[in-house]
């Protein structure tokens, strides 16, 4: 039987049912005059690109035949021409992405390029200057091209040999794409969904007095970028989304909205890195009767991950390593089981952690148990620290954890234990994996010994204690909620020489109310 994303989630497909209606708050609203103008402008500038995405269609209704997406003229260009063609169609969106702040992991990173005679990054080739989010988005699009064109050597060119994506895994991802993308419109849809997902990263001041977005409640804090872009989509403010509002593309429009709604509540890479909490997984149940919408959301995430390190090295899909792919593959199976009600969110989350414990034990590290609170907390920290395949890095994280005072360690264990499902408020330490990564990166650049890295990570853990604000599982409440704390505000601090030379400097940084996003009312159990 051929591979397909639908087979990944086959147990939640119900072919005898029609697609369930979207939540009433997600239904397409009538476009304002301004949105109608945006719709027309968007269609005019992307028309040339859409023509270059045309390829011979598979037989109507044949879901078990690989598409010929590689025959689309767009994929016949060399990489430089692909980038410039992309700029012609999406210059408006790329200029929006130029306004995005660097991610926590991008702080201080140098970008490698390889395009044109001067070996430029995509952003420099397009605009003469590096913009992190532009590079990340473009590398995601190039990754799609490399997959469709079977360019394994290009896709993996500068990946470390030890963790390089295998040819077999590359072929699995490629096959999934070619089975899922069946029409030229769907190919364009995948590209657009990648761009729209990134648009929310644009810096913007919090709005006051504006209409609440579906799924949001009033808060002084700024929501994450996924929520912001979902709000814009529901209010008809996104040119590219408005292109899909006509009758021919109405189904794609629904899929895009549903994908944005899913992304506003569930960040799959966060799940894979044990960064979010079990309550975050509940939203996957909403796509149970929308299988293809889910398929395309998964495709978008795969390509987003492939381009995630484009701000560091734009010459290949350097973030889609073999461990990354295997982690993602394990995560999607658990999401499938939750959607079918075969497993609850808490058990699925612990099952993910148990798999991480196995990976860690294979390096010679002590086998950790999810049944022991302190070990479960350490397992989450090691997973967030991306140290599952390096006993040395895991040992450093463990040494930092056990260097905390008994009181600090207990508070950290308790904060990491809250699920957000009938046990109180669970806090997501948003960007924490990036902070771990930057500390390791800068310490390695300074050629620190393992012993000198321990105080740096211990300082980060003391900071996390303050982030968790004495939260702990309280089952007597019989309700729960999830709140994110955006940690990117300390990115400049943790890569600074001042912090590296004196880690206790971080102890003086306060965590204010403005760093927390609102809670989701619909997550209250």
């Amino acid at each position: 039987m051929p591979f397909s994303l639908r087979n990944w989630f086959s147990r939640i497909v119900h072919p005898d049912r029609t697609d369930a209606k979207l939540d009433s708050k997600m239904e397409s609203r009538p476009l304002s005059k301004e949105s109608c103008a945006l719709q027309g402008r968007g269609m005019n500038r992307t028309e040339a690109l859409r023509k270059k995405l045309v390829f011979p269609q598979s037989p109507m209704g044949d879901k078990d035949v690989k598409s010929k997406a590689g025959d689309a003229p767009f994929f016949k260009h060399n990489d430089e021409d692909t980038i410039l063609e992309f700029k012609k169609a999406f210059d408006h969106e790329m200029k929006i992405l130029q306004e995005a702040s660097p991610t926590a992991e991008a702080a201080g990173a140098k970008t490698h390029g390889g395009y044109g005679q001067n070996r430029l990054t995509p952003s420099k080739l397009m605009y003469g200057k590096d913009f992190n989010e532009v590079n990340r988005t473009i590398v995601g699009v190039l990754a799609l091209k490399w997959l469709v064109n079977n360019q394994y050597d290009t896709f993996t060119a500068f990946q470390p040999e030890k963790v390089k994506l295998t040819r077999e895994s590359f072929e699995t991802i490629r096959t999934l794409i070619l089975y899922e993308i069946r029409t030229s419109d769907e190919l364009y849809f995948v590209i657009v969904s990648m761009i729209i997902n990134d648009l929310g990263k644009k810096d913007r001041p919090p709005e006051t007095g504006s209409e609440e977005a579906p799924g949001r409640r009033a808060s002084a804090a700024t929501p994450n970028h996924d929520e912001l872009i979902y709000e814009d989509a529901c209010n008809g403010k996104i040119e590219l989304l408005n292109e899909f509002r006509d009758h021919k593309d109405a189904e794609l429009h629904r899929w895009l909205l549903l994908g944005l709604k899913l992304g506003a509540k569930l960040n799959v890479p966060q799940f894979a890195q044990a960064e979010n909490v079990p309550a975050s997984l509940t939203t996957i149940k909403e796509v149970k009767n929308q299988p293809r919408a889910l398929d395309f959301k998964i495709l978008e995430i795969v390509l987003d991950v492939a381009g995630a390190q484009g701000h560091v090295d734009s010459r290949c899909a350097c973030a889609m390593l073999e461990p990354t792919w295997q982690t993602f593959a394990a995560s999607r199976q658990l999401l499938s089981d939750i959607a079918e009600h075969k497993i609850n969110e808490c058990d699925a989350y612990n099952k993910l952690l148990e798999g991480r414990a196995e990976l860690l034990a294979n390096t010679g590290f002590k086998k950790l148990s999810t049944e022991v609170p302190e070990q479960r907390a350490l397992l989450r920290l090691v997973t967030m620290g991306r140290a599952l395949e390096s006993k040395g890095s895991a040992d450093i994280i463990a040494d930092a954890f056990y260097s905390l005072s008994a009181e600090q360690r207990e508070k950290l264990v308790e904060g990491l234990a809250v699920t957000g499902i009938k046990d109180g408020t669970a806090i997501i330490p948003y960007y924490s994996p990036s902070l771990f990564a930057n500390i390791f990166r800068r310490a390695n650049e300074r050629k620190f010994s393992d012993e000198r890295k321990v105080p740096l990570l211990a300082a980060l853990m003391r900071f996390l204690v303050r982030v968790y604000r004495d939260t702990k599982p309280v089952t007597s409440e019989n309700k729960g909620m999830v709140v994110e704390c955006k940690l990117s505000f300390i990115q400049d601090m943790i890569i600074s020489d001042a912090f590296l030379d004196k880690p206790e400097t971080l102890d003086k940084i306060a965590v204010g109310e403005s760093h927390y996003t609102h809670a989701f009312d619909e997550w209250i159990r």
Side-chain angles (χ1 to χ4, degrees), residues 30-90:
L31 287 180
S32 64
K33 290 182 179 179
E34 178 185 10
S35 296
C36 286
L38 290 175
Q39 180 182 17
R41 187 173 73 186
M43 294 179 72
N44 289 335
R45 62 186 172 83
T46 59
E47 183 177 358
L49 177 66
R50 294 193 76 159
K51 290 179 180 178
K52 292 187 177 182
L53 294 176
V54 174
F55 61 87
Q57 308 298 291
S58 300
M60 185 64 66
D62 194 340
K63 305 170 185 177
D64 296 329
V65 175
K66 283 186 181 181
S67 73
K68 297 181 180 180
D71 291 341
F74 182 71
F75 292 131
K76 301 300 182 184
H77 294 311
N78 61 36
D79 288 344
E80 290 82 1
D81 288 342
T82 297
I83 293 168
L84 296 175
E85 192 73 40
F86 188 87
K87 178 181 182 291
K88 289 180 186 177
F90 302 114

Side-chain angles (χ1 to χ4, degrees), residues 91-105:
D91 183 58
H92 173 69
E93 286 72 26
M94 294 303 100
K95 286 179 177 176
I96 291 176
L97 287 180
Q98 292 176 18
E99 301 176 35
S101 294
T103 63
E105 203 159 346

Side-chain angles (χ1 to χ4, degrees), residues 249-261:
D249 291 330
E251 186 174 42
L252 296 179
H253 183 262
R254 289 198 302 273
W255 292 351
L256 264 171
L257 273 177
L258 185 57
L260 290 170
K261 183 179 182 182

Side-chain angles (χ1 to χ4, degrees), residues 79-368:
D79 288 344
E80 290 82 1
D81 288 342
T82 297
I83 293 168
L84 296 175
E85 192 73 40
F86 188 87
K87 178 181 182 291
K88 289 180 186 177
F90 302 114
D91 183 58
H92 173 69
E93 286 72 26
M94 294 303 100
K95 286 179 177 176
I96 291 176
L97 287 180
Q98 292 176 18
E99 301 176 35
S101 294
T103 63
E105 203 159 346
K110 179 183 177 181
T111 307
H112 297 284
Y115 304 101
Q117 292 182 347
N118 296 321
R119 316 302 292 169
L120 302 175
T121 65
S123 181
K124 278 192 175 180
L125 183 65
M126 296 162 75
Y127 300 108
K129 184 178 179 181
D130 268 326
F131 296 99
N132 288 329
E133 291 305 329
V134 173
N135 282 325
R136 285 157 64 105
T137 300
I138 296 297
V139 173
V141 174
L142 290 173
L144 173 62
K145 174 179 180 282
W146 298 329
L147 283 159
V148 169
N149 286 346
N150 200 19
Q151 295 176 263
Y152 172 76
D153 291 338
T154 303
F155 191 95
T156 61
F158 296 93
Q159 294 182 354
E161 280 298 324
K162 186 177 179 181
V163 290
K164 185 176 182 178
L165 187 74
T166 65
R167 167 68 78 169
E168 180 182 8
S169 293
F170 175 86
E171 192 58 42
T172 298
I173 301 171
R174 179 172 183 268
T175 301
L176 294 170
I177 288 173
L178 293 180
Y179 273 111
E180 196 55 50
I181 299 176
R182 302 169 193 162
T183 69
S184 302
D185 287 339
E186 290 177 358
L187 176 56
Y188 179 67
F189 168 85
V190 169
I191 293 173
V192 166
S193 65
M194 293 168 59
I195 298 171
I196 290 177
N197 178 66
D198 288 339
L199 290 180
K201 299 173 184 177
K202 170 189 173 182
D203 286 346
R204 59 177 110 185
E207 297 181 9
T208 58
S210 60
E211 181 183 355
E212 281 188 18
R216 279 185 54 187
R217 83 176 193 179
S219 171
T222 302
N224 67 43
H225 69 82
D226 294 309
E227 295 166 311
L228 291 169
I229 201 63
Y230 175 55
E231 176 180 358
D232 286 348
C234 291
N235 290 325
K237 295 182 179 179
I238 304 174
E239 283 187 26
L240 293 179
L241 182 61
N242 292 338
E243 285 187 43
F244 292 95
R245 296 183 76 112
D246 63 29
H247 178 71
K248 178 174 73 74
D249 291 330
E251 186 174 42
L252 296 179
H253 183 262
R254 289 198 302 273
W255 292 351
L256 264 171
L257 273 177
L258 185 57
L260 290 170
K261 183 179 182 182
L262 175 62
K265 300 178 186 178
L266 171 61
N267 184 313
V268 175
Q270 277 188 352
F271 174 44
Q273 297 178 118
E275 182 182 2
N276 65 9
V277 295
S280 307
L281 311 179
T282 299
T283 190
I284 197 69
K285 296 174 182 177
E286 296 188 27
V287 295
K288 180 176 180 179
N289 295 322
Q290 301 273 347
R292 294 212 71 205
L294 179 58
D295 292 346
F296 280 108
K297 186 63 183 178
I298 293 295
L299 270 186
E300 174 203 308
I301 294 169
V302 169
L303 296 170
D304 182 66
V305 171
Q309 291 291 309
H311 62 289
V312 176
D313 195 331
S314 62
R315 300 169 295 177
C316 71
C318 61
M320 186 53 81
L321 306 172
E322 182 65 21
T324 305
W325 169 248
Q326 293 302 331
T327 295
F328 183 85
S331 302
R332 56 82 185 163
Q333 184 60 60
L334 290 169
L335 293 176
S336 173
D337 290 342
I338 294 170
E340 195 189 331
H341 300 275
K342 284 203 165 196
I343 191 172
N344 65 44
E345 297 93 325
C346 294
D347 288 345
Y349 199 94
N350 282 336
K351 192 169 183 179
L352 177 88
L353 289 177
E354 288 164 6
R356 302 298 177 267
E358 290 288 346
L359 286 175
L360 188 56
N362 289 339
T363 70
F365 195 89
K366 173 188 174 182
K367 179 72 177 290
L368 299 175

Side-chain angles (χ1 to χ4, degrees), residues 441-471:
R441 175 174 64 83
R442 288 290 286 124
N444 289 335
E445 288 174 354
R446 291 276 300 269
K447 302 187 185 307
F448 281 8
S449 65
D450 289 351
E451 289 74 17
R452 285 199 67 183
K453 294 173 185 175
V454 171
L456 300 174
L457 292 170
L460 178 59
M461 292 179 195
R462 291 194 300 273
F463 175 77
L464 289 176
V465 170
R466 302 199 299 281
V467 167
Y468 281 114
R469 294 194 164 194
D470 296 322
T471 53

